Amino acid sequence: MESNLNSELLFETLSEVLEDAAFIFTEVADESLQFNSDILKSSIHYNGQEDGILSLAVDKITAKTVAANLLGIEPSDEDAEEKSVEAVSEILNIVCGVFLERWLGGQNHCRLGIPSTVSLTAAEEMAALNSSRCNAILEDEEGNRIDIFVSGN
Amino acid sequence: MAYNFLVVDDSPIIRSVVAKCLTMSGLEIGDIFEASNGRAALDVLDDNWVDMVFADLNMPEMDGREMIQEMVDNQMIDNIPVVVISSERNEDVLKWLSSVGVSGFINKPFKPEKMKSVVDKLLGNQE
């Protein structure tokens, strides 16, 4: 079923994927919520009937939790820190597939690129978020902020 | 009978998750080989007996589509079942995968039960 591109769609998609794949439970957050540590932003390009970029920004604490939960290890494990960048990329990859299906319908013709992840300051992340086409701000049970946004056409 | 699997994904984290799901599935597992792209996967297939391949589509160097095409064109390995595990739900891709005889498609995120049911179906372990 096709939907309109809106914050609720982004929130619901990310929230469900985080819950199903990484056992992280989230709710809508106020935009005044700050990131608790350095930020990792992963972006993936999609193109086809729509062309744009979906981005996910989390702090490094959350990235470590995502990696640990995907791998079934403790966040304090060395592997969790080592794989945190990759874990954020993978979650975004999954989110993007679900998001496009919900937004454009089950018969969409979009192809996904390969996610890339960079470190950002809070100011850089705010600038990216503010120039986005649509965004949603979430927080996990520990109060860590998670941003998701669409940019491009 | 123990089965050998090949997991092809550029993400080591996903390779680990797939391997873990296979281990938890209750199947008798021989070796679980891993490859980070299609080219590396074809090298593994050249040197080892593999009963089933799990492959991502979007990978650097050689993607899943090219790898599957090379498998289809090679009589030595064209009968190995390939299950695609991908986030991509592009209708055109799904049609192509079906046209080249890909055995199964699993959307990410997936649960171990889903993987087991696909493996059981393809390897004839249905109870």
Side-chain angles (χ1 to χ4, degrees):
Chain A
M1 191 179 91
E2 291 185 39
S3 317
N4 291 323
L5 176 58
N6 55 47
S7 294
E8 199 179 337
L9 174 65
L10 286 173
F11 166 74
E12 283 176 2
T13 306
L14 177 58
S15 184
E16 284 174 31
V17 170
L18 282 174
E19 194 174 319
D20 286 350
F23 314 108
I24 291 174
F25 298 85
T26 55
E27 56 186 29
V28 174
D30 189 88
E31 64 184 80
S32 62
L33 183 67
Q34 301 293 309
F35 283 100
N36 290 322
S37 65
D38 293 343
I39 299 163
L40 288 176
K41 186 187 79 165
S42 189
S43 299
I44 186 168
H45 183 226
Y46 56 85
N47 73 311
Q49 66 198 84
E50 290 281 344
D51 192 348
I53 295 167
L54 183 67
S55 299
L56 173 67
V58 301
D59 58 35
K60 290 186 176 172
I61 299 165
T62 307
K64 224 158 53 168
T65 306
V66 171
N69 291 357
L70 280 174
L71 290 167
I73 58 177
E74 290 299 319
S76 55
D77 195 305
E78 252 179 42
D79 242 15
E81 175 135 25
E82 223 171 82
K83 302 259 168 57
S84 57
V85 169
E86 190 197 312
V88 176
S89 298
E90 195 49 48
I91 284 291
L92 177 67
N93 185 34
I94 297 170
V95 168
C96 194
V98 178
F99 161 71
L100 290 172
E101 185 178 49
R102 290 182 179 182
W103 177 28
L104 303 172
Q107 301 192 342
N108 76 79
H109 296 276
C110 283
R111 288 182 69 162
L112 309 186
I114 294 174
S116 63
T117 302
V118 295
S119 288
L120 289 183
T121 63
E124 287 168 332
E125 167 53 17
M126 282 311 293
L129 189 74
N130 288 335
S131 64
S132 67
R133 179 178 170 191
C134 181
N135 64 63
I137 302 168
L138 291 70
E139 70 178 303
D140 67 13
E141 289 176 307
E142 313 296 324
N144 297 310
R145 174 172 168 152
I146 303 168
D147 291 351
I148 182 164
F149 55 92
V150 174
S151 47
N153 296 330
Chain B
M1 177 186 168
Y3 296 109
N4 291 346
F5 295 93
L6 169 60
V7 184
V8 193
D9 199 305
D10 55 327
S11 163
I13 228 166
I14 289 298
R15 296 202 302 269
S16 297
V17 171
V18 172
K20 190 169 279 183
C21 286
L22 287 170
T23 308
M24 288 164 55
S25 68
L27 293 161
E28 202 175 331
I29 308 282
D31 289 313
I32 300 178
F33 302 103
E34 296 188 16
S36 60
N37 61 63
R39 175 57 56 208
L42 293 172
D43 289 343
V44 171
L45 292 172
D46 267 350
D47 298 337
N48 300 280
W49 177 267
V50 170
D51 295 290
M52 185 180 285
V53 176
F54 289 97
D56 188 15
L57 288 178
N58 298 317
M59 295 177 286
E61 200 170 328
M62 179 187 277
D63 68 18
R65 298 166 187 81
E66 293 171 277
M67 181 200 78
I68 290 163
Q69 191 60 61
E70 292 224 7
M71 287 181 70
V72 168
D73 294 340
N74 182 343
Q75 288 186 347
M76 299 292 285
I77 52 175
D78 67 351
N79 61 345
I80 301 173
V82 178
V83 176
V84 169
I85 302 180
S86 178
S87 303
E88 197 163 299
R89 290 152 159 85
N90 180 328
E91 177 94 339
D92 299 333
V93 173
L94 295 178
K95 277 185 187 154
W96 180 79
L97 292 173
S98 170
S99 75
V100 293
V102 161
S103 306
F105 186 88
I106 298 175
N107 275 141
K108 294 176 188 173
F110 56 88
K111 296 199 185 310
E113 298 80 18
K114 172 69 181 170
M115 185 164 289
K116 183 175 187 313
S117 75
V118 169
V119 172
D120 283 348
K121 190 176 160 197
L122 294 173
L123 296 180
N125 289 332
Q126 283 172 304
E127 287 166 12

